[in-house]
Amino acid sequence: MILIGLASWIWVQAAGSTVAPVESPSLVQSGPELHQTGWGKRSEVTLSDGSRIWLDWRTKLAVAYSETSRQISIERGTAAFKVTSNVARPFIVEAHGARIVVTGTEFSVKVSEQRVDIGVIEGSVRVHADAEVATLSKGHHIGVEAGNLEEVTVRGNKELAGWRDGMLVFDRRPLQQVITDLSRYLPYEVDTQFILPGTRLVTAVYFVDEAEQGLVSLLKAHHLEAEQTTRGITLREARLQRPL
């Protein structure tokens, strides 16, 4: 009954939501190049140096050039970059205390609150956070939480940038992380603070356009309950019921 109620409530929320307008990806010549996507929209941008940027839903970033560097500042969202090589003008991406420096490579960056996730699709990058530096190669992933570098892990390209094809790919990822990633594609907030920490890992593929169905399947598989709040839903461990 809880799952049926959740699915019905999801439909009502989605039907009543307002689609945010998408800003034009055209270049702004009189200052930083501003690029932004809204709800349900992705875009691809080719910069003046030939580098390409893919923006996921609800992503906002700015591009600025100088004689010695190419600077990207990500305010929110997820973006993938395919950088034209230029050793004399490094390509620098900054977000929430993380600084990614490359000369020519392909990588993805996901920004959520005070966390940044970086994954290398091709080539290598250097990630700076406070006084720490990590060098990542193809298939490497690292998280930066509150300015601190985490351990480097290995992930496949589909897991790092499958969202460009409308897919979310998870290979033995913690349950809370999977739910958080899915919630980026839902029109309401999902609170996971009451889910017990543990070793529950998820290996699955979800389509971005079917994120709601993905969430419902996770609730079933991991015995979670959803409680409606004013801003969304709160997930809790399901209460055990005595057999009749």
mmCIF file of all heavy atoms in Angstrom, residues 162-187:
data_model
loop_
_atom_site.group_PDB
_atom_site.id
_atom_site.type_symbol
_atom_site.label_atom_id
_atom_site.label_comp_id
_atom_site.label_asym_id
_atom_site.label_seq_id
_atom_site.Cartn_x
_atom_site.Cartn_y
_atom_site.Cartn_z
ATOM 1 N N GLY A 162 27.437 7.713 -18.151
ATOM 2 C CA GLY A 162 26.282 7.124 -18.818
ATOM 3 C C GLY A 162 25.103 8.066 -18.903
ATOM 4 O O GLY A 162 24.236 7.903 -19.765
ATOM 5 N N TRP A 163 25.070 9.085 -18.025
ATOM 6 C CA TRP A 163 23.959 10.045 -18.036
ATOM 7 C C TRP A 163 23.855 10.776 -19.362
ATOM 8 O O TRP A 163 22.781 11.250 -19.737
ATOM 9 C CB TRP A 163 24.108 11.039 -16.885
ATOM 10 C CG TRP A 163 25.407 11.793 -16.858
ATOM 11 C CD1 TRP A 163 26.535 11.465 -16.159
ATOM 12 C CD2 TRP A 163 25.729 12.993 -17.575
ATOM 13 N NE1 TRP A 163 27.525 12.385 -16.387
ATOM 14 C CE2 TRP A 163 27.063 13.333 -17.250
ATOM 15 C CE3 TRP A 163 25.020 13.807 -18.450
ATOM 16 C CZ2 TRP A 163 27.698 14.452 -17.770
ATOM 17 C CZ3 TRP A 163 25.646 14.929 -18.985
ATOM 18 C CH2 TRP A 163 26.978 15.244 -18.637
ATOM 19 N N ARG A 164 24.965 10.861 -20.121
ATOM 20 C CA ARG A 164 24.897 11.525 -21.429
ATOM 21 C C ARG A 164 23.975 10.770 -22.387
ATOM 22 O O ARG A 164 23.431 11.352 -23.326
ATOM 23 C CB ARG A 164 26.305 11.651 -22.035
ATOM 24 C CG ARG A 164 27.178 12.651 -21.315
ATOM 25 C CD ARG A 164 28.481 12.904 -22.054
ATOM 26 N NE ARG A 164 29.331 11.727 -22.085
ATOM 27 C CZ ARG A 164 30.595 11.726 -22.527
ATOM 28 N NH1 ARG A 164 31.125 12.854 -22.982
ATOM 29 N NH2 ARG A 164 31.308 10.630 -22.526
ATOM 30 N N ASP A 165 23.825 9.462 -22.139
ATOM 31 C CA ASP A 165 22.925 8.626 -22.933
ATOM 32 C C ASP A 165 21.621 8.355 -22.202
ATOM 33 O O ASP A 165 20.855 7.459 -22.583
ATOM 34 C CB ASP A 165 23.606 7.303 -23.279
ATOM 35 C CG ASP A 165 24.876 7.505 -24.106
ATOM 36 O OD1 ASP A 165 24.829 8.336 -25.034
ATOM 37 O OD2 ASP A 165 25.893 6.847 -23.813
ATOM 38 N N GLY A 166 21.372 9.108 -21.117
ATOM 39 C CA GLY A 166 20.124 8.959 -20.385
ATOM 40 C C GLY A 166 20.091 7.778 -19.435
ATOM 41 O O GLY A 166 19.006 7.336 -19.044
ATOM 42 N N MET A 167 21.265 7.272 -19.027
ATOM 43 C CA MET A 167 21.319 6.109 -18.138
ATOM 44 C C MET A 167 22.125 6.424 -16.882
ATOM 45 O O MET A 167 23.116 7.161 -16.932
ATOM 46 C CB MET A 167 21.958 4.920 -18.850
ATOM 47 C CG MET A 167 21.187 4.390 -20.039
ATOM 48 S SD MET A 167 21.952 2.885 -20.706
ATOM 49 C CE MET A 167 23.577 3.521 -21.189
ATOM 50 N N LEU A 168 21.713 5.835 -15.769
ATOM 51 C CA LEU A 168 22.490 5.863 -14.540
ATOM 52 C C LEU A 168 22.953 4.438 -14.270
ATOM 53 O O LEU A 168 22.143 3.536 -14.069
ATOM 54 C CB LEU A 168 21.639 6.377 -13.380
ATOM 55 C CG LEU A 168 21.135 7.814 -13.500
ATOM 56 C CD1 LEU A 168 20.274 8.163 -12.288
ATOM 57 C CD2 LEU A 168 22.297 8.785 -13.614
ATOM 58 N N VAL A 169 24.265 4.235 -14.280
ATOM 59 C CA VAL A 169 24.849 2.906 -14.118
ATOM 60 C C VAL A 169 25.545 2.837 -12.766
ATOM 61 O O VAL A 169 26.368 3.699 -12.433
ATOM 62 C CB VAL A 169 25.855 2.609 -15.253
ATOM 63 C CG1 VAL A 169 26.459 1.217 -15.089
ATOM 64 C CG2 VAL A 169 25.175 2.739 -16.611
ATOM 65 N N PHE A 170 25.217 1.815 -11.975
ATOM 66 C CA PHE A 170 25.805 1.639 -10.650
ATOM 67 C C PHE A 170 26.401 0.238 -10.554
ATOM 68 O O PHE A 170 25.751 -0.750 -10.899
ATOM 69 C CB PHE A 170 24.748 1.813 -9.552
ATOM 70 C CG PHE A 170 24.071 3.163 -9.578
ATOM 71 C CD1 PHE A 170 22.807 3.306 -10.138
ATOM 72 C CD2 PHE A 170 24.700 4.276 -9.062
ATOM 73 C CE1 PHE A 170 22.175 4.534 -10.171
ATOM 74 C CE2 PHE A 170 24.090 5.517 -9.094
ATOM 75 C CZ PHE A 170 22.823 5.641 -9.645
ATOM 76 N N ASP A 171 27.620 0.156 -10.096
ATOM 77 C CA ASP A 171 28.307 -1.129 -9.918
ATOM 78 C C ASP A 171 28.779 -1.231 -8.477
ATOM 79 O O ASP A 171 29.783 -0.673 -8.094
ATOM 80 C CB ASP A 171 29.488 -1.236 -10.876
ATOM 81 C CG ASP A 171 30.196 -2.597 -10.794
ATOM 82 O OD1 ASP A 171 29.675 -3.500 -10.111
ATOM 83 O OD2 ASP A 171 31.261 -2.732 -11.413
ATOM 84 N N ARG A 172 27.971 -1.905 -7.660
ATOM 85 C CA ARG A 172 28.275 -2.092 -6.236
ATOM 86 C C ARG A 172 28.471 -0.746 -5.537
ATOM 87 O O ARG A 172 29.476 -0.504 -4.882
ATOM 88 C CB ARG A 172 29.506 -2.995 -6.057
ATOM 89 C CG ARG A 172 29.292 -4.406 -6.565
ATOM 90 C CD ARG A 172 30.529 -5.273 -6.372
ATOM 91 N NE ARG A 172 30.937 -5.329 -4.975
ATOM 92 C CZ ARG A 172 30.367 -6.105 -4.048
ATOM 93 N NH1 ARG A 172 29.349 -6.888 -4.381
ATOM 94 N NH2 ARG A 172 30.806 -6.122 -2.808
ATOM 95 N N ARG A 173 27.480 0.116 -5.679
ATOM 96 C CA ARG A 173 27.515 1.421 -5.027
ATOM 97 C C ARG A 173 26.623 1.400 -3.787
ATOM 98 O O ARG A 173 25.568 0.751 -3.776
ATOM 99 C CB ARG A 173 27.028 2.516 -5.976
ATOM 100 C CG ARG A 173 27.916 2.699 -7.180
ATOM 101 C CD ARG A 173 29.304 3.186 -6.806
ATOM 102 N NE ARG A 173 30.287 2.806 -7.812
ATOM 103 C CZ ARG A 173 31.468 2.278 -7.546
ATOM 104 N NH1 ARG A 173 31.828 2.070 -6.301
ATOM 105 N NH2 ARG A 173 32.298 1.968 -8.511
ATOM 106 N N PRO A 174 26.985 2.145 -2.727
ATOM 107 C CA PRO A 174 26.159 2.188 -1.509
ATOM 108 C C PRO A 174 24.739 2.654 -1.806
ATOM 109 O O PRO A 174 24.516 3.543 -2.637
ATOM 110 C CB PRO A 174 26.904 3.192 -0.617
ATOM 111 C CG PRO A 174 28.313 3.163 -1.104
ATOM 112 C CD PRO A 174 28.229 2.932 -2.586
ATOM 113 N N LEU A 175 23.775 2.040 -1.115
ATOM 114 C CA LEU A 175 22.360 2.316 -1.348
ATOM 115 C C LEU A 175 22.043 3.807 -1.254
ATOM 116 O O LEU A 175 21.345 4.365 -2.115
ATOM 117 C CB LEU A 175 21.514 1.529 -0.344
ATOM 118 C CG LEU A 175 20.002 1.805 -0.347
ATOM 119 C CD1 LEU A 175 19.393 1.450 -1.692
ATOM 120 C CD2 LEU A 175 19.334 1.032 0.793
ATOM 121 N N GLN A 176 22.518 4.482 -0.202
ATOM 122 C CA GLN A 176 22.204 5.904 -0.026
ATOM 123 C C GLN A 176 22.738 6.746 -1.185
ATOM 124 O O GLN A 176 22.099 7.698 -1.626
ATOM 125 C CB GLN A 176 22.740 6.405 1.301
ATOM 126 C CG GLN A 176 21.905 5.938 2.503
ATOM 127 C CD GLN A 176 22.526 6.360 3.821
ATOM 128 O OE1 GLN A 176 23.663 6.009 4.116
ATOM 129 N NE2 GLN A 176 21.788 7.106 4.607
ATOM 130 N N GLN A 177 23.921 6.405 -1.678
ATOM 131 C CA GLN A 177 24.491 7.135 -2.800
ATOM 132 C C GLN A 177 23.633 6.960 -4.049
ATOM 133 O O GLN A 177 23.383 7.917 -4.792
ATOM 134 C CB GLN A 177 25.907 6.643 -3.095
ATOM 135 C CG GLN A 177 26.549 7.291 -4.309
ATOM 136 C CD GLN A 177 27.855 6.628 -4.702
ATOM 137 O OE1 GLN A 177 28.640 6.204 -3.856
ATOM 138 N NE2 GLN A 177 28.098 6.526 -6.003
ATOM 139 N N VAL A 178 23.149 5.743 -4.284
ATOM 140 C CA VAL A 178 22.310 5.477 -5.454
ATOM 141 C C VAL A 178 21.013 6.284 -5.372
ATOM 142 O O VAL A 178 20.574 6.898 -6.354
ATOM 143 C CB VAL A 178 22.015 3.974 -5.578
ATOM 144 C CG1 VAL A 178 20.999 3.706 -6.678
ATOM 145 C CG2 VAL A 178 23.308 3.202 -5.849
ATOM 146 N N ILE A 179 20.391 6.290 -4.190
ATOM 147 C CA ILE A 179 19.144 7.048 -4.020
ATOM 148 C C ILE A 179 19.400 8.541 -4.223
ATOM 149 O O ILE A 179 18.606 9.238 -4.863
ATOM 150 C CB ILE A 179 18.534 6.779 -2.638
ATOM 151 C CG1 ILE A 179 18.070 5.316 -2.547
ATOM 152 C CG2 ILE A 179 17.359 7.717 -2.367
ATOM 153 C CD1 ILE A 179 17.575 4.910 -1.177
ATOM 154 N N THR A 180 20.504 9.045 -3.701
ATOM 155 C CA THR A 180 20.841 10.463 -3.872
ATOM 156 C C THR A 180 21.026 10.807 -5.340
ATOM 157 O O THR A 180 20.542 11.846 -5.817
ATOM 158 C CB THR A 180 22.112 10.806 -3.081
ATOM 159 O OG1 THR A 180 21.883 10.590 -1.684
ATOM 160 C CG2 THR A 180 22.512 12.254 -3.297
ATOM 161 N N ASP A 181 21.707 9.939 -6.093
ATOM 162 C CA ASP A 181 21.904 10.198 -7.517
ATOM 163 C C ASP A 181 20.578 10.157 -8.269
ATOM 164 O O ASP A 181 20.322 10.985 -9.154
ATOM 165 C CB ASP A 181 22.879 9.176 -8.104
ATOM 166 C CG ASP A 181 24.328 9.458 -7.712
ATOM 167 O OD1 ASP A 181 24.575 10.520 -7.098
ATOM 168 O OD2 ASP A 181 25.199 8.633 -8.011
ATOM 169 N N LEU A 182 19.718 9.201 -7.933
ATOM 170 C CA LEU A 182 18.404 9.115 -8.578
ATOM 171 C C LEU A 182 17.562 10.359 -8.293
ATOM 172 O O LEU A 182 16.812 10.839 -9.158
ATOM 173 C CB LEU A 182 17.657 7.882 -8.084
ATOM 174 C CG LEU A 182 17.865 6.567 -8.827
ATOM 175 C CD1 LEU A 182 17.116 5.446 -8.121
ATOM 176 C CD2 LEU A 182 17.414 6.662 -10.273
ATOM 177 N N SER A 183 17.684 10.880 -7.072
ATOM 178 C CA SER A 183 16.820 11.992 -6.665
ATOM 179 C C SER A 183 17.095 13.262 -7.461
ATOM 180 O O SER A 183 16.256 14.167 -7.496
ATOM 181 C CB SER A 183 16.977 12.265 -5.167
ATOM 182 O OG SER A 183 18.270 12.773 -4.862
ATOM 183 N N ARG A 184 18.241 13.343 -8.139
ATOM 184 C CA ARG A 184 18.524 14.513 -8.985
ATOM 185 C C ARG A 184 17.529 14.620 -10.132
ATOM 186 O O ARG A 184 17.352 15.692 -10.717
ATOM 187 C CB ARG A 184 19.938 14.414 -9.563
ATOM 188 C CG ARG A 184 21.052 14.660 -8.569
ATOM 189 C CD ARG A 184 22.417 14.457 -9.200
ATOM 190 N NE ARG A 184 22.529 15.092 -10.495
ATOM 191 C CZ ARG A 184 22.786 16.394 -10.683
ATOM 192 N NH1 ARG A 184 22.935 17.174 -9.625
ATOM 193 N NH2 ARG A 184 22.890 16.887 -11.897
ATOM 194 N N TYR A 185 16.888 13.510 -10.456
ATOM 195 C CA TYR A 185 15.977 13.473 -11.596
ATOM 196 C C TYR A 185 14.514 13.364 -11.145
ATOM 197 O O TYR A 185 13.656 12.949 -11.913
ATOM 198 C CB TYR A 185 16.353 12.303 -12.510
ATOM 199 C CG TYR A 185 17.803 12.366 -12.944
ATOM 200 C CD1 TYR A 185 18.793 11.691 -12.232
ATOM 201 C CD2 TYR A 185 18.185 13.150 -14.025
ATOM 202 C CE1 TYR A 185 20.125 11.777 -12.613
ATOM 203 C CE2 TYR A 185 19.518 13.240 -14.408
ATOM 204 C CZ TYR A 185 20.481 12.555 -13.696
ATOM 205 O OH TYR A 185 21.800 12.653 -14.068
ATOM 206 N N LEU A 186 14.249 13.743 -9.908
ATOM 207 C CA LEU A 186 12.897 13.729 -9.369
ATOM 208 C C LEU A 186 12.469 15.159 -9.021
ATOM 209 O O LEU A 186 13.297 15.968 -8.594
ATOM 210 C CB LEU A 186 12.826 12.852 -8.112
ATOM 211 C CG LEU A 186 13.195 11.378 -8.308
ATOM 212 C CD1 LEU A 186 13.250 10.663 -6.959
ATOM 213 C CD2 LEU A 186 12.202 10.684 -9.226
ATOM 214 N N PRO A 187 11.188 15.484 -9.156
ATOM 215 C CA PRO A 187 10.729 16.854 -8.910
ATOM 216 C C PRO A 187 10.425 17.140 -7.451
ATOM 217 O O PRO A 187 9.587 17.989 -7.150
ATOM 218 C CB PRO A 187 9.456 16.934 -9.782
ATOM 219 C CG PRO A 187 8.917 15.552 -9.750
ATOM 220 C CD PRO A 187 10.115 14.636 -9.734
#
